[in-house]
Amino acid sequence: MFTGIIAAVGKIIAIKKNQKDMTITVHAGGLDMSDVKLGDSIANNGVCLTVTHLNGDSFNADVSYETIKLSGFSNIKTGFLVNLEKAMQMNDRFGGHIVSGHVDGVGEITAVTPLGNAVEYWIKAPDDLAKYIAKKGSITVDGVSLTTNEVDGASFKLTIIPHTISETIMQEYAVGTRVNLEVDVIARYLERLVLGEQAAESYSKQHSTMDLLAKSGFMG
């Protein structure tokens, strides 16, 4: 588990592509690697990856086909910068929100607007994630724990302070930048709870039930 508080910015320095998956080598930048061992988890732009090899200030990690398909790793190249966070320990300070490291989809930056010392970003999320995004709710963008200030359909606005921008890859964001999104895990559990006994049925039957409830006026 992670908290969404970025510890350092790393860089992809090598990519070995296999038939469907790949192995990446990440220079850890300012990340303290003194206590990292093989098998540990490190979030890279919000993607939980397992350390498979250590070489001083860099590490290797395998990226599965499923992860490539669902995240910004589908467009990764050497030289890309990545937000890094080591997995949370039981005695760590909880500074962000519960982040699992399982990316739900890829969003796109649609507007970047300076606002005093801060910067506003509008991000368009995939339509199927819109129901999990709420005003003043938590969302993870490239591994960073953030609060949504406004929501408009599947789009949401973030207002980011200079410190967060300077300590993460958000300084690289521009219109068109694609970002990894992880919605609040509590919202996902609430969705299952609302289904009640329907949760044990197949997805197609669940979908039919939800459609019927919506048509009958029981859902907004």
Side-chain angles (χ1 to χ4, degrees), residues 54-68:
L54 287 166
N55 183 23
D57 54 5
S58 67
F59 64 92
N60 287 8
D62 295 329
V63 186
S64 70
Y65 172 72
E66 183 73 7
T67 298
I68 295 170

Side-chain angles (χ1 to χ4, degrees), residues 80-92:
F80 271 27
L81 300 179
V82 287
N83 292 323
L84 299 177
E85 180 190 359
K86 293 186 286 189
M88 183 182 181
Q89 296 181 337
M90 292 298 291
N91 61 344
D92 281 348

Side-chain angles (χ1 to χ4, degrees), residues 2 14 25 28 38 42 62 65 76 84 93 101 114 117 123 129 136 148-149 158 163 181 198-199 206 209 216:
F2 305 91
T25 302
L38 295 182
I42 297 179
D62 295 329
Y65 172 72
I76 201 168
L84 299 177
R93 178 176 294 175
N117 291 326
I123 300 176
L129 295 185
K136 300 302 180 183
T148 58
N149 284 340
L158 305 169
H163 176 78
L181 301 177
Q198 298 289 330
Q206 291 176 19
T209 301
S216 301

